[in-house]
Amino acid sequence: MADFDISAGKWGKVPSAEIEDRITRTQAALVKAGVDAAIIIQKADLFYLTGTIQQGQLVLPAEGEPLFLVTKDYERARYESPLENIQRSSGLRDVTSALNDLGVPEKPTLGMELDVVPVSVFRRYEALVPGVPIKDCSPLLRDVRSVKSAYEISLMDDAAEMVDLAVKAGTAVLKEGMTEVELSAHCDFAMRRAGHQGLVRFRSFGQEWAYGHVFAGPSAALPASPSTPLGGPGVSPAVGNGAGWRPIQRGEPVIIDIAACAGGYLVDQTRIISLGPIAQDLVEGYELCMQLQQTISERAKSGAVPDEIYQEAVDWMTARVAESGLGAYFMGAPDNQVAFIGHGLGIELDEPPFITWGARQPLREGQVFACEPKLIFPDRAAVGIENTWRVTDEGLVSITFSSEELLQI
C-alpha cells in the first residue's frame, strides 16, 4: 500500500478519534445488554467500527481493546483502519483463540448481527463455541449508529451537494420524448462524477435500489416490490423498479427521488420537475405534502415519539385528501401503501429512527432521517417531497437543500 495513498481522495480515511468514540459507545451498549463480546462481520457495521470493509471479523469485547481478524485484504485493512490490534486470519476458527486472548470470560454471552448473518454462517460460529449463548446485538449496534457525529453530518452535507447536482442535471437536459432511463442516466452521472460511491446499502433482506427512482407520469404511480412508496417499471422484470423505457411527456410530473453517498454516508431527496404546467389536482396534492412536511419538521424534535408523529401525519393527510376530493392515496398505490413516513439513514438507507407505527423510542439529538410525504394518483402520476433531516431540540434541520418549488421548464 506504500505507493497508493487512499487518503489523497476527497474524504480519505475515517479519523481515529471517530472510531475510538464509536467503539466506546458500542462497548457501553454491550455492557448494558449483558453481552461479553460481539463478533462483527457485516460490511456496514465493520466499516462503522473499523473504518474499512475488508473481509474479516471484529471481535469486540465489552471491555478492553478490540481485535480485527482479517482474511482479505490484511495490508489494506492495516492501511485504512486506525485500530491497533489487526491480525491476519485464516477464517472463523480463529475467533475462539481471539476470545481467550482478549480475556473474555470462559463461558461468555456473545453477540452477533443475527438480523443479517446467514443461518449457515451462524451455525458454523455456533459449532465453534458449543453451549455458549449467542444473542442478537444488531438492535444495539443500530441504535448506536443512529446518532450521528459532526464528522458524519459533514459527509452527509457533501452527499446533499450530490443530489442537488442530480436535480440540476436532470433539469438541464429534460425534453419531451426523452426516456426515463436516459434522464436517470444524466442524474446518475452528475453524482458519480462528484464521487458518489456507486451503490446504496440496505440492511433489510431482499431490498435492492440503484441510485434512486427517476420516472414520470403513470410510471411513478406503478407499484413495485421495494418497501418504498413509489415503484416504477424498471428496465425489465429482473429489476422491476425505477426508471423504465417510457418517453416523458409534457404536462406530467417528473419525479427525481434519488440517494447519494459521500464517504460512506447517504442522503435521500425527492424533487419534481415538469415540461410545462401539471394538472391542478396534482399541484394541490403537492401543496398538501409540503404542508405536512412543515408540520413534521416542527413536531419531530428531541423527545418526540415517532409512532405519535406517524399517526398524526396519517390522520392529517387522510382528512385533507377526503376534504379536497383528490383521487389520491397516501404513501403508495392502492393496497400497496408503506407503513412509514420517514426512515433513518447513514451508512445504510434503512437505519433507525423510523417514523412509523409502534416506534415508541423518543427521537434524540443527532439522529438523522429522511421524511417523504407522497401522494399517488393511480394510473396517472405521483407527487411529493423528501428531505434528509437532522433532529435537534428545536425541531428538524434540513441537510438536503435543493429548491422545493414545482419547477416547470
Side-chain angles (χ1 to χ4, degrees):
M1 297 302 297
D3 298 328
F4 190 79
D5 186 8
I6 295 175
S7 64
K10 182 174 182 180
W11 298 293
K13 295 184 281 189
V14 182
S16 58
E18 186 76 14
I19 296 297
E20 182 179 350
D21 178 68
R22 297 173 186 182
I23 293 288
T24 299
R25 291 190 294 120
T26 304
Q27 287 180 316
L30 291 175
V31 170
K32 186 175 180 180
V35 175
D36 296 302
I39 303 170
I40 308 300
I41 61 175
Q42 193 250 14
K43 283 185 180 294
D45 293 329
L46 277 178
F47 177 69
Y48 183 75
L49 292 170
T50 70
T52 183
I53 60 165
Q54 300 309 304
Q55 291 183 29
Q57 47 193 338
L58 177 69
V59 183
L60 178 62
E63 297 180 1
E65 186 179 8
L67 170 61
F68 189 21
L69 299 167
V70 181
T71 54
K72 186 177 186 299
D73 177 79
Y74 170 76
E75 293 295 340
R76 186 160 176 180
R78 291 287 306 176
Y79 178 82
E80 293 177 342
S81 176
L83 293 181
E84 293 292 332
N85 200 1
I86 302 177
Q87 298 178 12
R88 296 182 187 272
S89 174
S90 58
L92 271 62
R93 62 177 58 89
D94 291 337
V95 74
T96 52
S97 59
L99 291 170
N100 291 331
D101 293 343
L102 294 173
V104 175
E106 185 175 344
K107 288 293 183 179
T109 295
L110 299 180
M112 291 192 71
E113 306 137 302
L114 299 186
D115 64 332
V116 289
V117 172
V119 172
S120 60
V121 175
F122 171 72
R123 295 301 185 204
R124 292 173 64 191
Y125 277 101
E126 200 175 38
L128 288 173
V129 287
V132 172
I134 301 177
K135 298 174 62 174
D136 184 11
C137 67
S138 291
L140 69 86
L141 284 169
R142 283 159 63 80
D143 184 65
V144 169
R145 281 175 45 189
S146 74
V147 178
K148 273 41 178 196
S149 67
Y151 167 76
E152 292 170 299
I153 295 295
S154 73
L155 295 174
M156 300 178 89
D157 287 338
D158 288 345
E161 297 276 356
M162 293 182 190
V163 290
D164 185 57
L165 289 173
V167 174
K168 290 176 178 175
T171 302
V173 302
L174 179 63
K175 60 183 179 181
E176 190 171 8
M178 169 185 281
T179 65
E180 296 165 352
V181 168
E182 184 180 356
L183 179 62
S184 180
H186 283 281
C187 296
D188 296 350
F189 175 68
M191 296 193 302
R192 194 72 170 108
R193 183 170 56 182
H196 177 37
Q197 67 187 20
L199 60 88
V200 174
R201 288 193 171 99
F202 278 91
R203 197 174 192 91
S204 300
F205 177 76
Q207 296 299 307
E208 294 180 331
W209 216 46
Y211 292 0
H213 287 157
V214 178
F215 34 42
S219 289
L222 183 66
S225 63
S227 298
T228 55
L230 307 182
V235 294
S236 80
V239 178
N241 72 92
W245 299 103
R246 179 180 175 276
I248 297 170
Q249 307 298 317
R250 297 190 65 82
E252 59 186 21
V254 179
I255 304 285
I256 301 180
D257 180 357
I258 207 156
C261 194
Y265 282 81
L266 292 154
V267 300
D268 199 0
Q269 176 185 273
T270 300
R271 294 296 186 267
I272 296 177
I273 60 178
S274 66
L275 291 166
I278 62 176
Q280 184 57 35
D281 62 338
L282 300 179
V283 174
E284 293 175 13
Y286 181 74
E287 290 172 349
L288 287 179
C289 292
M290 288 290 293
Q291 292 172 31
L292 182 54
Q293 176 186 248
Q294 179 62 33
T295 300
I296 293 172
S297 70
E298 297 168 355
R299 174 77 170 82
K301 60 185 66 175
S302 300
V305 178
D307 171 80
E308 296 173 0
I309 297 170
Y310 175 73
Q311 295 295 342
E312 291 168 9
V314 171
D315 292 345
W316 187 93
M317 185 62 82
T318 300
R320 297 306 180 279
V321 169
E323 291 169 1
S324 64
L326 295 176
Y329 293 79
F330 187 44
M331 299 305 292
D335 301 319
N336 282 275
Q337 288 100 331
V338 294
F340 69 86
I341 195 172
H343 60 91
L345 71 172
I347 300 173
E348 295 167 313
L349 198 64
D350 52 349
E351 299 184 0
F354 297 97
I355 311 303
T356 184
W357 63 272
R360 299 295 305 172
Q361 185 179 41
L363 296 175
R364 284 172 286 165
E365 176 106 21
Q367 289 185 318
V368 173
F369 68 89
C371 182
E372 53 175 324
K374 288 169 180 168
L375 287 172
I376 287 72
F377 293 73
D379 303 320
R380 290 181 60 206
V383 295
I385 187 72
E386 181 176 20
N387 282 296
T388 298
W389 303 84
R390 175 171 57 87
V391 178
T392 75
D393 291 338
E394 288 73 41
L396 300 182
V397 175
S398 186
I399 294 174
T400 45
F401 59 84
S402 298
S403 172
E404 295 180 340
E405 69 172 314
L406 280 173
L407 184 57
Q408 299 176 0
I409 303 169

